[in-house]
Amino acid sequence: MKSKPHTFDNIHISEPQNPALKPVSSIAINCNSGAAQKLAELVSASLSENTKRAYLADLAHFVEAGGDLPAMPEAVALYVSTFSETLAVSTLTRRLATLSKIHKANDWPNPCQSEIVRSAMKGMKRLHGGGQQQAKPLTRETLLLVLDHMTETSRDTRDKGLLLTGFAGGFRRSELVGLNWSDIAEVREGLVVHLRRSKTDQTGVGRKIGIPLGQTRHCPVKALLAWREMSESNDGAIFRPVDWLDRVQPSRLSGEAVPLIIRERMSAAGFDPTGFSGHSLRAGFATSAAKAGVPSYKIRQQTGHKSDAMLSRYIRDGELFEGNAAAALL
């Protein structure tokens, strides 16, 4: 039987035909009137494109596995059991969060809050572990060694600017490649970066981040300005592709290029790049700052973390050897 289209915030997936379903369009908003259509557009705009794609993938997987919407608690628990050995705990947790979201949005009973689903997830975590896999931090000491192996070509100059800016600003990869030259202002102390939008700021309120003049042989301010001179650009995207002839291209560097650059540069410096990703610069900054004794509120001011709880894992890693009890014994 041919499946019917189903939408969630204007995301289209297919699902098995189920006569008990009521249509879900733009979070169950009736779009018969112009005002309702406008409201639907506003609700859809409240989600980023990445979030919509994630919802699509999560819902499609549940439906393709035989699930119906709205879902019964037993069906969701069976879904958890079926994929408990093939999917990571974090992946299933996210997919259940998506299912919970769509049920709440449509005023359906939420199966993810039922005892049977909670028990299934708890059992999975106990059997398979519930720890989230973290990107390895590219710490200050390693970063400086990586930079020492780079030369003065266009590609090397770009990568120096990218690595140092990403580290000093505690940026996510999307924030880093999204920067334009118009977002940068030179001041006596260094650079002020106007981050206009981020993962946790989808409404575009923005915030300003200070990149101070460096005190080591690798200054983030000098590195970024050297890239500006090398690229001969004063507007548009800061970080751009460089072709095999070492020519700077006019387009914007993609977010997917950041982890590739990090791993490539680490390999060239003789380090094993396994486990390093686009998040490693941000994690490395937070870990190194905690190790240096920087107060957590100052680290959050740079990274944009909303609470100390979000920073806790970096601070724990950075303080593993600070006043370590074993150091006084061995």
Side-chain angles (χ1 to χ4, degrees):
M1 186 177 293
K2 202 169 183 180
S3 61
K4 297 188 298 185
H6 176 77
T7 60
F8 180 72
D9 280 353
N10 295 332
I11 299 175
H12 296 273
I13 66 172
S14 294
E15 65 179 9
Q17 216 170 23
N18 185 339
L21 293 183
K22 65 177 180 180
V24 183
S25 180
S26 298
I27 312 191
I29 295 173
N30 187 333
C31 296
N32 293 329
S33 69
Q37 178 62 42
K38 182 62 177 178
L39 177 57
E41 292 172 359
L42 291 175
V43 171
S44 179
S46 71
L47 300 173
S48 70
E49 291 303 317
N50 286 340
T51 299
K52 291 179 183 179
R53 282 193 290 270
Y55 283 165
L56 169 62
D58 292 341
L59 292 174
H61 188 269
F62 178 74
V63 168
E64 288 166 4
D68 286 334
L69 295 175
M72 299 297 293
E74 294 78 9
V76 177
L78 181 60
Y79 175 74
V80 171
S81 174
T82 301
F83 294 98
S84 62
E85 295 185 359
T86 56
L87 294 178
V89 173
S90 58
T91 300
L92 269 176
T93 299
R94 191 195 70 236
R95 287 186 174 157
L96 261 61
T98 299
L99 284 172
S100 180
K101 174 91 172 178
I102 195 172
H103 281 77
K104 288 180 180 179
N106 288 276
D107 293 324
W108 293 332
N110 191 347
C112 302
Q113 294 179 344
S114 65
E115 185 59 34
I116 189 172
V117 174
R118 290 176 184 269
S119 296
M121 285 300 296
K122 184 177 180 180
M124 180 186 179
K125 290 175 181 178
R126 292 192 65 177
L127 288 174
H128 303 290
Q132 184 178 8
Q133 188 175 7
Q134 300 177 19
K136 290 183 179 179
L138 180 52
T139 58
R140 172 186 179 274
E141 294 77 9
T142 304
L143 175 61
L144 294 179
L145 292 173
V146 167
L147 293 168
D148 283 341
H149 283 77
M150 297 166 67
T151 62
E152 304 300 325
T153 64
S154 294
R155 187 184 297 274
D156 285 359
T157 302
R158 180 202 64 187
D159 290 355
K160 284 181 184 178
L162 183 143
L163 294 175
L164 281 165
T165 302
F167 180 88
F171 292 123
R172 300 176 177 87
R173 70 179 190 179
S174 58
E175 297 169 348
L176 189 57
V177 299
L179 291 174
N180 294 322
W181 287 115
S182 59
D183 298 327
I184 307 296
E186 293 184 60
V187 295
R188 180 175 58 84
E189 299 89 346
L191 299 174
V192 175
V193 179
H194 187 182
L195 188 61
R196 301 185 184 279
R197 190 180 294 272
S198 68
K199 179 182 178 181
T200 56
D201 178 26
Q202 294 297 326
T203 57
V205 174
R207 62 187 182 91
K208 292 183 178 180
I209 300 162
I211 305 293
L213 290 164
Q215 301 177 4
T216 70
R217 60 191 179 277
H218 295 298
C219 170
V221 176
K222 292 179 180 178
L224 190 59
L225 296 181
W227 165 241
R228 184 172 68 180
E229 182 177 354
M230 175 76 75
S231 63
E232 298 181 342
S233 60
N234 288 302
D235 57 7
I238 293 180
F239 298 111
R240 309 176 183 214
V242 177
D243 67 16
W244 65 282
L245 292 174
D246 210 39
R247 297 175 302 194
V248 180
Q249 302 301 300
S251 57
R252 185 181 300 274
L253 196 68
S254 70
E256 289 74 16
V258 176
L260 296 178
I261 290 171
I262 291 173
R263 289 193 286 266
E264 176 186 346
R265 293 303 180 178
M266 292 193 68
S267 294
F271 293 99
D272 181 2
T274 304
F276 289 86
S277 72
H279 197 72
S280 292
L281 293 172
R282 180 174 170 85
F285 168 80
T287 302
S288 299
K291 185 177 180 181
V294 178
S296 62
Y297 79 93
K298 295 300 293 184
I299 300 176
R300 288 195 288 109
Q301 182 178 330
Q302 198 77 348
T303 62
H305 283 98
K306 300 299 183 183
S307 66
D308 284 350
M310 301 296 293
L311 269 180
S312 60
R313 63 182 182 272
Y314 304 125
I315 294 175
R316 285 197 302 269
D317 290 347
E319 295 179 344
L320 283 174
F321 296 96
E322 189 71 26
N324 189 296
L329 304 176
L330 301 173

